[in-house]
Amino acid sequence: MNQRLFFSLIAASLVLAAFAHYFTDHAIFQFVTAALAVVVLAAWLGKSTESVAHYAGDRIGGFLNATFGNAAELIISFFLVRDGLFEMVKASITGAIIGNMLLVLGLSVLLGGLKYKEQKFNAKLAGHNASLMILAIAALFIPAVFLRELPVVKIESLSIVIAILLIIAYVLWLIFSMVTHSDFLSDIDPQESEPLWSKGISILMLALSTLFVAIVSEWLVHGVEYISHTFGWSDLFVGAFVIAIIGNAAEHSAAVLLAVKGRIGGAVEIAIGSSLQIALFVAPTLVLVSLLIGKPMDFVFTPFELAAIAASILITISITRDGATNWFEGVLLLTVYIILGTAFFFV
């Protein structure tokens, strides 16, 4: 598509969504226009990520995409924490983790596998990702296990200690994977592609597209909340699936776009890297930030949320540990996601 036409479409979709949000009271119209804007912005973010990855490699490109996408998630969650909506925050965290591992990775593996019989990425990276995922689920399970044995004050103290340790572990992982051992975790036979913009413009495009995604996603979330109450959906289902899918729609498209172009390493970095960043950095940061605003949030998730996260991690480790993917493995990931979505719907 011609770039002038592409950016005209972006501008038109943003103007229409802004008009519906600020100048009308029709919830369905607001939802539809915001959803259309997110779809268009998803394409912009996907192109920006691909262009950045050309200069920096799929790992760093995927990391930047996940970081910019999760920055929006962190901002939205902060406002939920400020309002004391802790259960909604935890549900959205759960949804973001399982959504990236099952829906994003599943679609990427499936659609990429339909074009390429087998796609390979660094098996050593898959092994380290598996270890980090096990760390994440252990950190989430421990506060829930001790909940009945410890008073509320001690549970909050335990949550703070775990949050600090997870953030330290994540920072050390970034140093290990991108500084001291970056050559061991580099891309395997990366597919070359022509960048759309220069390095500086590519980074600017990634930042701008993420900013607009954050703004429009918030508009869309408000519309979804109204529609969910109309249909009688539970807060757990809305937070874990509806909000999570919409809030990360643009991030999803970037991963799928890379996989279809034979760059499964970048897709894995976006999907799994984003889940790890949420579990090891975003969630712990929210726990610490809640202390600063005088509304402490603990690290105790519900049994439903823990079961969903554990199931997602187990199937993801099983599929990615060999560093190779095919379309059927994408089907398996999506099947687990649909099962969990159905279960959450009936909770």
Side-chain angles (χ1 to χ4, degrees), residues 256-267:
V256 173
L257 180 62
L258 289 175
V260 170
K261 293 191 175 184
R263 305 176 68 169
I264 192 63

Side-chain angles (χ1 to χ4, degrees), residues 16 20 53 57 78 126 193 235 246 265 270-271 302 310 322 326:
L16 182 60
F78 167 76
S193 62
D235 288 343
I246 292 171
I270 290 176
T302 68
D322 60 350
N326 55 66

Side-chain angles (χ1 to χ4, degrees), residues 141-159:
F141 262 98
I142 288 173
V145 170
F146 283 91
L147 178 62
R148 295 182 179 179
E149 305 296 330
L150 298 176
V152 175
V153 175
K154 290 187 177 181
I155 286 293
E156 292 178 355
S157 299
L158 176 61
S159 298

Side-chain angles (χ1 to χ4, degrees), residues 48 51-52 64 68 197-208:
S48 302
S51 190
V52 169
L64 290 175
F68 278 111
W197 308 290
S198 66
K199 183 187 295 185
I201 296 298
S202 298
I203 296 174
L204 176 63
M205 289 293 183
L206 183 60
L208 287 176

